[in-house]
Structure formats: structure tokens, C-alpha cells
Amino acid sequence: LVLVGTALPREVFRQIGKIVGDIPVIVFTEHEDHELALLVVGEGAADNITRGQFSTDPNKLRDAIEFALARTKISRRSHDQ
């Protein structure tokens, strides 16, 4: 599981995706930006969490990690069948 900020250019984010393979990537951003969230999820991120979401709901990050790991487990199981 990799957590990265979105100060990274799009191509760097793509390279991270190639390096980590099927390990879920959760992007932690400073500000709410719907377009950016759609972009990173479209590029393969498991989720996008903002500082504001984390501030108001500290369990948001924990939930995102657990959900990403659960989706990865389901995906691996379906590929093995």
C-alpha cells in the first residue's frame, strides 16, 4: 500500500503504478479537487482522500486502506479462478 501526495506530475504517478503493480495506491491530497480525484482514480489509484476529509473523519484513511485491500483480495481471487 503506497500513500502519495498529488504534487506529483501525472507521468510520475503512472510510473509509481507500474512499479507497485497490483498494490493499492491511495492518494492523500491537501485540497478538495474533484477533477484531480477522478484523474488519479482513473490512472489506477484505489482512492483519493483530502486533508479536510481526514480532519473531520480520522477513520476515513483507515477505511480507505481496508477497502482497498479487500478489493485487491477479491480481484486476486477472481484472477486465480
Side-chain angles (χ1 to χ4, degrees):
L1 184 61
V2 178
L3 302 173
V4 296
T6 54
L8 300 173
R10 189 176 187 170
E11 186 56 36
V12 173
F13 183 76
R14 284 187 184 140
Q15 292 301 318
I16 289 171
K18 290 177 184 177
I19 293 167
V20 300
D22 65 350
I23 297 170
V25 175
I26 298 174
V27 179
F28 191 77
T29 59
E30 182 69 27
H31 303 286
E32 183 76 30
D33 184 343
H34 187 73
E35 297 286 325
L36 180 60
L38 286 175
L39 173 77
V40 297
V41 170
E43 292 292 331
D47 207 341
N48 180 77
I49 299 175
T50 66
R51 180 182 294 267
Q53 290 171 315
F54 183 68
S55 295
T56 58
D57 182 4
N59 294 323
K60 180 77 174 165
L61 182 58
R62 181 207 62 207
D63 292 346
I65 292 169
E66 288 178 355
F67 298 155
L69 293 174
R71 284 190 298 270
T72 299
K73 185 176 179 180
I74 291 167
S75 177
R76 286 180 181 161
R77 222 181 297 143
S78 69
H79 284 110
D80 291 342
Q81 294 178 356

